[in-house]
Amino acid sequence: MIGRFVPAAPRDGATADVRSEISALRVGRLWLTLATSTLLFGGVLAAYSYVVPLLTDRAGVPVGAISLVLVGYGIGALAGTWVGGRLGDARPLATQAGAIAVAGLALVLLQTPLSTSGVAAVALLVLMGVAGQSVPPVSTALAVRFAPGAPTLAYALATSALNVGIAGGSLVGGLALDSTLGLTGPALVGTVMIAAALVPLLALAARRATRDDVG
């Protein structure tokens, strides 16, 4: 699929300059982008990592149907990757703001009596997949754009930020699940993390995000 649909890009044979790569660490907009993606993606994964107990014990979804439900999340994630790639190219900040709104709404609703309905819980899970997976293509593209002289390091940092979000969100989500918060604890943690992602995103918007007027 990748070989069929991704256009070929000519290689100029240039090698990365170590000094240029390291200089990217001084770019404030790069760190704001990384913080946004870490918190946003981590918030979604905080809830998703422990969604099975919520589906079975709270929403009443049969254990035998869980695999099929998770396929639904995967379909949503695939759609989110497409949406992030299409919309994020022209208006990356608006796309990330939309992801925050959609993911935040889904996580809030998972903490309400609405999540006791199996159909509603599954629909919210798919919505989480769409919102969460729209983040990686946008954040990676922004990181490389903000550090044009250090594409290798910027790409590596963008990927690392997502993994930090996964690890951190899963850790705190697990602690919440074992606390008095119970089954909705991971969703609460995710909500807080996603709300916190607004801080670096708004700071990025305040700085006009890029000299190329990225929206």
Side-chain angles (χ1 to χ4, degrees), residues 11-23:
R11 298 177 61 89
D12 57 11
T15 58
D17 178 75
V18 175
R19 183 174 298 177
S20 297
E21 295 279 343
I22 294 177
S23 68

Side-chain angles (χ1 to χ4, degrees), residues 38-51:
T38 297
L39 292 168
L40 178 50
F41 199 62
V44 172
L45 268 294
Y48 176 71
S49 297
Y50 306 99
V51 76

Side-chain angles (χ1 to χ4, degrees), residues 60-211:
V61 176
V63 175
I66 291 298
S67 296
L68 185 60
V69 170
L70 296 183
V71 169
Y73 176 89
I75 293 173
L78 180 62
T81 302
W82 182 83
V83 170
R86 296 287 293 180
L87 302 182
D89 186 48
R91 300 191 62 82
L93 297 191
T95 302
Q96 289 197 320
I100 288 177
V102 173
L105 176 62
L107 290 175
V108 167
L109 293 178
L110 281 176
Q111 302 167 61
T112 69
L114 185 63
S115 65
T116 59
S117 164
V119 174
V122 171
L124 293 173
L125 180 64
V126 174
L127 203 59
M128 280 173 47
V130 175
Q133 292 298 328
S134 68
V135 176
V138 179
S139 61
T140 302
L142 277 179
V144 174
R145 187 178 302 182
F146 291 152
T152 305
L153 182 59
Y155 187 90
L157 288 174
T159 305
S160 298
L162 296 173
N163 285 310
V164 168
I166 294 172
S170 299
L171 173 63
V172 183
L175 295 175
L177 181 65
D178 287 336
S179 72
T180 57
L181 296 173
L183 296 175
T184 59
L188 176 59
V189 168
T191 303
V192 173
M193 292 183 67
I194 287 175
L198 280 172
V199 176
L201 183 63
L202 290 175
L204 203 54
R207 298 182 62 172
R208 300 294 295 177
T210 175
R211 295 181 182 88

